[in-house]
Amino acid sequence: MNAFLQGLLLGFSAAVPLGPVNVMIMSAAVRSFWSAFAIGLGAMSADAAYLLLLAFGVLEYLQGETVEKIIGIFGFCYLVYISYAIFKNANKPITADTLDAEAKFGKNYAKGLFVTLANPYTVGFWLSVAGFAKSFENAGAVVAGLVAAIFIWIVSMPFAVHKSAKFISQNIAKWLNYVCAVILLGFAFFLLYKLFL
């Protein structure tokens, strides 16, 4: 039980801080809970993929400087694209568009997946998790707690933002999207800076 709680704590400490995925989730949640949840689920799937690579010992090979730079450059380009898309659609009405809901779910899922996969720091995070989990007799319980925390966050945070969206005017929503776009652009350039520092 202690290992699970430690994993839960680690999961929340990883999921809660403001990062590119959380900014994307908040921006999408103003209009649609499901779009925001899809982004979170995509990010969680990327984490699960890295976790599987870790379990099979493949993740260590993604640590090299060249691979890290390739992943980072892809991440930079994708974050710039997402930032542009949010900026371009900032003036769209707050009301959720229910047409093509499945297609939009898939598109948002892919956004969360690719942003997380293209973040070289995700590799470092999972390698440090492996070291932390090994210090417990039941490493599986640590990982289970971590995954549970991430899932709780990707459900509760967009739900809270979406429910409070009715108190947000169209003008405020537009400026929130502009701010989110600028923050994502900032993350993109910070990633580039860290890669070539």
Side-chain angles (χ1 to χ4, degrees):
M1 188 63 179
N2 185 42
F4 179 81
L5 290 173
Q6 290 284 337
L8 207 63
L9 194 64
L10 180 65
F12 281 122
S13 66
V16 173
L18 189 68
V21 172
N22 278 340
V23 172
M24 288 166 56
I25 289 172
M26 284 187 273
S27 177
V30 172
R31 288 187 181 88
S32 164
F33 165 77
W34 290 107
S35 293
F37 175 69
I39 293 169
L41 197 61
M44 189 175 171
S45 299
D47 284 331
Y50 276 129
L51 191 57
L52 280 172
L53 291 175
L54 183 63
F56 290 106
V58 180
L59 200 59
E60 282 86 354
Y61 297 106
L62 296 177
Q63 265 194 299
E65 193 178 323
T66 306
V67 176
E68 193 176 285
K69 281 186 175 162
I70 291 167
I71 293 171
I73 289 167
F74 177 76
F76 166 79
C77 294
Y78 197 70
L79 282 173
V80 168
Y81 164 74
I82 294 294
S83 177
Y84 166 74
I86 290 173
F87 191 83
K88 190 179 81 167
N89 296 315
N91 220 5
K92 273 191 177 178
I94 293 175
T95 52
D97 183 6
T98 53
L99 297 172
D100 291 328
E102 280 185 34
K104 286 187 176 182
F105 192 90
K107 188 178 174 183
N108 284 303
Y109 176 87
K111 280 184 193 175
L113 181 74
F114 289 128
V115 164
T116 307
L117 284 177
N119 185 348
Y121 300 110
T122 307
V123 177
F125 170 75
W126 283 107
L127 287 169
S128 63
V129 163
F132 177 76
K134 282 176 189 172
S135 66
F136 285 87
E137 202 171 291
N138 190 354
V142 174
V143 172
L146 194 140
V147 171
I150 293 170
F151 185 77
I152 290 167
W153 179 251
I154 66 166
V155 171
S156 60
M157 191 268 276
F159 181 79
V161 172
H162 183 67
K163 284 298 176 188
S164 58
K166 59 185 167 194
F167 304 111
I168 300 172
S169 71
Q170 182 61 46
N171 195 41
I172 291 172
K174 177 181 77 173
W175 283 101
L176 281 174
N177 278 317
Y178 287 151
V179 169
C180 286
V182 169
I183 291 171
L184 281 178
L185 205 56
F187 278 121
F189 281 102
F190 180 72
L191 176 61
L192 203 65
Y193 169 77
K194 291 293 279 182
L195 283 173
F196 295 99
L197 181 66

